[in-house]
Amino acid sequence: MAREKRASFADENYWGKPVPGFGDPDASVYVLGLAPAAHGGNRTGRVFTGDRSGDWLFASMYRTGFANRPESLHAGDGLELRDAWVAAAVRCAPPANKPLPEERDNCLPYAAEELRLIQPAVIVCLGKFAWDAACLLLGIRPRPRFGHLAEHRTESGPVLLGSFHPSQQNTFTGKLTEPMLDAVFKEARKIAGPGVMFRRQ
């Protein structure tokens, strides 16, 4: 996927490898997305970085105290997360941004290891694909119904919290608004407990 460059990024060297998770290793909130965008994370090497979905995600995380800045432009831009970790169910950019179940299943061990090490209180699932992936990771059966602000509490593991994905399709049509996305992170904070957060200047 790193061979096909967008004209505006023609002079850049694309990352073109699996994109790791990013954030605070002591996080109580784990944010799980779909997959790196072909000209976003696949280009920059950092998840949700350099694309419109990332613009929405990190702006919301900034407004709700999880990020020190509202933009995620490139890997060296100074963005820091506090009490949050962001990752994708699929770690490489899939063709047409539509990962197959096999790709998800091949990549899930990376998220499983992150969850084992981080042990978050909440998993924010950005979209149904991420919700289903989280259910697989936690062995949740039957699978609870996905929805925006849907919650599923497990016996001894993290709480699943659903959110519509901040894709252009959802944000352009108004299916997802800034207040709706902020409400998800405010609810995640409420579930996870106080924790240390960034304060906006």
Side-chain angles (χ1 to χ4, degrees), residues 165-185:
H165 192 284
S167 64
Q168 290 188 59
Q169 180 179 355
N170 288 340
T171 58
F172 282 4
T173 60
K175 182 176 181 178
L176 180 67
T177 64
E178 290 182 354
M180 288 172 66
L181 190 54
D182 291 356
V184 170
F185 285 104

Side-chain angles (χ1 to χ4, degrees), residues 2-82:
R3 290 191 298 270
E4 298 176 13
K5 297 182 179 182
R6 184 172 287 168
S8 53
F9 306 126
D11 294 333
E12 294 189 26
N13 290 320
Y14 275 48
W15 172 258
K17 294 177 283 191
V19 180
F22 163 74
D24 182 350
D26 295 320
S28 61
V29 176
Y30 183 96
V31 183
L32 187 63
L34 175 71
H39 307 288
N42 183 59
R43 172 176 60 89
T44 63
R46 191 170 70 194
V47 67
F48 279 105
T49 296
D51 62 66
R52 292 291 178 86
S53 294
D55 292 345
W56 270 70
L57 174 64
F58 290 115
S60 180
M61 295 182 78
Y62 171 72
R63 290 191 297 269
T64 54
F66 289 100
N68 69 329
R69 52 184 292 150
E71 297 176 312
S72 182
L73 304 174
H74 54 82
D77 59 10
L79 176 67
E80 295 177 31
L81 301 184
R82 187 169 291 174

Side-chain angles (χ1 to χ4, degrees), residues 150-171:
E151 286 185 27
H152 179 77
R153 295 179 180 268
T154 58
E155 286 279 333
S156 56
V159 175
L160 297 192
L161 180 60
S163 172
F164 293 144
H165 192 284
S167 64
Q168 290 188 59
Q169 180 179 355
N170 288 340
T171 58

